[in-house]
Amino acid sequence: MAVIAATKVGSIIAVTAVLTAAVMALGFILLYQFRVRRRISRLLGVISQVSGESTEVRAVLAALDIGVIAYGSNDRLLTMNRMAANLLPEIPETLSDFFSLYGEDNGMKASMFLGSSTLVGTIPTGGRTLVVTVQRRALDQARLSGHIVMIRDISAEEREETRRKEFVANVSHELKTPLTTIKTYSESLLDWGIDEKDKDALKKDVTRLYDDSIRMEQLIEDLLLLSSLDSRGLYLKVETLDFAGLVRAATERMQLMAEEKGVDLNCVVVAHIPKVLGDRASLERIVINLLSNAIKYTEPGGEIYAYVGTIVDDVYVKVKDSGQGIPREHHEQIFKRFYRVDNTGSRRFGGTGLGLSIVRELADLHRGKIELKSEPGRGSEFTLLIPGKRKLLRDTRTMLLEGSRPIDAVGRAAAEEIEANEVLPVTAPLEK
Ligand code: ADP
């Protein structure tokens, strides 16, 4: 009996021990699996963070308006953005190839051998000027240094700088010419002219002095107007205008100049002209400039017509002359500052070379455009087209309904008029 009991106890202990061992083993396995799973999930987190960061870095690089190329510590290409590929005809695989291709003529390669950590050079490529900066930089946590190449297109800045220099040179020249005449004539009058010249000769000299002072005054006036247009400082008093009446009045003001030149000046209104929203002084200035050019460049006996009409929702004034005409290759150029087809001709008539550039900029302020048809010997036809008031109000109403506001003077005036007279449904402003 005692032996049987002892055997039973023994087997119970053995079973318990086996069970305990099994439970413990299971526990260990579960704990191990839990740890492995936790490690994997942590690893996945890190991987997704890293890939998220690299996506962000790529997005930032893609949004930059400068080209960026990175070369690693082994000098091999690591990454680059789209702008770099747009700016350079070829992106070399290694930094040394980069310098061989783009750093020979500008001395960047030589400076690199001298150990400079930042290199700057320009590369003229495909009609553009690029400024390239190469910097040695630590690119990873191991502090291994690679190189970052930054490429900037400075062609527009260069063009602007050249334009500015040309403008200053032109202004100086234009002011110097009449000033020199005024100085020489007044000097000779003071030295001997007043005592020795007869009345007619004196009158001729004083007229010359007067004409040149007027030319300088005109030039300074035009320059001031252009400068306020450039700085967006021109105040426009936008109001509802009778466009046909405005052109008629301007034509009447130019009659004396036309009679003195011996040309026939007419104004013809070809239809019922809708109202416009605009600045009276600017629109008058456009019409007067076009008419005075037509008179200046038309021989005595010639004819000038100012036709006022309407096309769909636009109104126009077409100034047509029977003058000398303008060769095709000058059509675009004559709207540039100081551009003249014939310098002596323009100066003889007191021209500043700024009239048509002012015309185009004032037309732009009215959302208008200037068109030119002309051939040498067959006269010229300058047409100013601007939107009628109805069209301006319609376009502005659409903008307001979409939740945005016009920023130009005529658009703002149209918006004010709509808001004063109509109740528009409230809309959320467009997201910026
Ligand atoms: P300008 O003060 O010299 O007249 P504009 O800018 O008004 O300057 O005109 C530029 C050039 O365009 C003039 O110098 C002239 O050569 C040419 N031009 C302008 N209008 C006419 C026209 N109606 N007929 C012929 N040439 C013209």
Side-chain angles (χ1 to χ4, degrees):
M1 258 324 260
V3 173
I4 293 171
T7 318
K8 260 189 188 168
V9 168
S11 45
I12 286 170
I13 288 171
V15 168
T16 311
V18 167
L19 277 177
T20 310
V23 168
M24 278 178 72
L26 198 66
F28 277 127
I29 288 168
L30 286 176
L31 188 67
Y32 177 73
Q33 275 185 346
F34 172 72
R35 281 200 183 141
V36 167
R37 247 187 250 128
R38 204 170 57 180
R39 210 176 295 154
I40 288 173
S41 94
R42 234 187 264 148
L43 203 63
L44 283 176
V46 170
I47 288 170
S48 90
Q49 190 186 341
V50 168
S51 73
E53 275 170 12
S54 82
T55 314
E56 279 166 25
V57 169
R58 247 180 275 133
V60 171
L61 280 179
L64 288 178
D65 64 352
I66 58 167
V68 179
I69 309 170
Y71 287 99
S73 50
N74 57 359
D75 278 2
R76 296 203 74 80
L77 179 66
L78 275 183
T79 186
M80 64 175 192
N81 67 354
R82 202 175 311 132
M83 197 61 182
N86 287 346
L87 291 174
L88 293 176
E90 189 188 331
I91 310 280
E93 275 299 315
T94 63
L95 186 67
S96 56
D97 284 350
F98 183 89
F99 281 123
S100 303
L101 201 57
Y102 301 118
E104 297 269 10
D105 297 338
N106 53 27
M108 285 172 81
K109 191 171 180 180
S111 308
M112 189 200 57
F113 285 126
L114 291 174
S116 312
S117 60
T118 301
L119 312 163
V120 183
T122 52
I123 328 176
T125 162
R128 292 189 292 193
T129 308
L130 306 176
V131 170
V132 178
T133 310
V134 182
Q135 282 184 349
R136 194 178 306 137
R137 279 285 169 99
L139 292 179
D140 53 23
Q141 282 165 348
R143 297 277 153 205
L144 287 173
S145 67
H147 286 86
I148 303 282
V149 181
M150 282 165 285
I151 309 133
R152 210 159 56 85
D153 186 351
I154 58 155
S155 319
E157 289 160 43
E158 267 195 345
R159 269 197 302 273
E160 188 51 44
E161 182 62 14
T162 315
R163 257 205 300 270
R164 201 185 58 76
K165 282 186 187 153
E166 276 172 10
F167 185 72
V168 172
N170 277 325
V171 170
S172 317
H173 178 73
E174 294 296 329
L175 283 172
K176 209 161 174 256
T177 316
L179 253 182
T180 312
T181 324
I182 291 172
K183 194 168 156 253
T184 2
Y185 272 69
S186 49
E187 256 171 17
S188 77
L189 280 175
L190 286 171
D191 282 352
W192 57 273
I194 295 177
D195 299 325
E196 294 178 28
K197 283 192 170 183
D198 64 27
K199 219 172 163 191
D200 280 352
L202 277 175
K203 199 171 172 196
K204 217 171 140 199
D205 284 2
V206 175
T207 309
R208 183 78 204 262
L209 286 173
Y210 178 74
D211 286 350
D212 273 21
S213 62
I214 295 284
R215 177 181 303 174
M216 280 182 69
E217 189 184 33
Q218 180 65 52
L219 180 64
I220 289 166
E221 235 175 62
D222 284 356
L223 287 170
L224 287 175
L225 178 56
L226 278 174
S227 135
S228 54
L229 281 167
D230 283 348
S231 60
R232 308 203 176 279
L234 184 70
Y235 172 70
L236 295 186
K237 184 172 175 282
V238 181
E239 55 186 330
T240 303
L241 296 171
D242 163 16
F243 188 68
L246 183 145
V247 177
R248 236 189 248 116
T251 316
E252 272 161 30
R253 272 172 60 194
M254 297 306 288
Q255 278 301 345
L256 187 62
M257 184 180 169
E259 274 167 30
E260 280 174 0
K261 180 83 189 274
V263 294
D264 193 22
L265 174 60
N266 308 280
C267 177
V268 181
V269 180
V270 295
H272 167 73
I273 307 299
K275 298 265 187 257
V276 296
L277 261 185
D279 174 51
R280 180 183 292 279
S282 304
L283 292 176
E284 273 173 3
R285 179 80 194 243
I286 295 177
V287 180
I288 297 271
N289 274 9
L290 294 180
L291 290 174
S292 79
N293 274 353
I295 298 170
K296 278 194 290 188
Y297 302 108
T298 300
E299 293 302 314
E303 282 184 333
I304 298 165
Y305 281 88
Y307 295 103
V308 190
T310 170
I311 305 174
V312 195
D313 285 332
D314 290 336
V315 298
Y316 70 82
V317 54
K318 181 186 293 179
V319 176
K320 190 170 182 335
D321 65 52
S322 60
Q324 61 193 55
I326 305 163
R328 180 88 203 96
E329 65 270 23
H330 298 287
H331 283 198
E332 196 42 49
Q333 309 273 56
I334 56 168
F335 291 96
K336 291 187 179 154
R337 295 175 185 188
F338 292 115
Y339 190 89
R340 292 151 161 141
V341 177
D342 159 25
N343 267 332
T344 24
S346 159
R347 290 222 176 81
R348 187 153 49 93
F349 301 125
T352 62
L354 294 173
L356 288 177
S357 62
I358 291 176
V359 162
R360 179 170 269 180
E361 295 198 31
L362 291 176
D364 282 350
L365 289 182
H366 287 81
R367 300 192 189 177
K369 59 180 177 183
I370 289 279
E371 286 170 3
L372 165 63
K373 276 193 202 153
S374 182
E375 269 179 59
R378 308 191 68 173
S380 305
E381 202 180 288
F382 285 87
T383 307
L384 163 77
L385 270 153
I386 57 168
K389 180 174 174 179
R390 221 173 46 174
K391 180 177 181 189
L392 204 63
L393 287 178
R394 199 178 54 231
D395 292 350
T396 309
R397 196 176 291 112
T398 310
M399 271 186 94
L400 293 174
L401 287 172
E402 284 169 354
S404 57
R405 294 191 75 78
I407 51 167
D408 58 337
V410 289
R412 282 201 312 267
E416 274 165 27
E417 182 157 335
I418 292 168
E419 284 164 343
N421 298 315
E422 300 174 29
V423 181
L424 294 174
V426 184
T427 29
L430 285 182
E431 271 182 34
K432 291 226 172 96

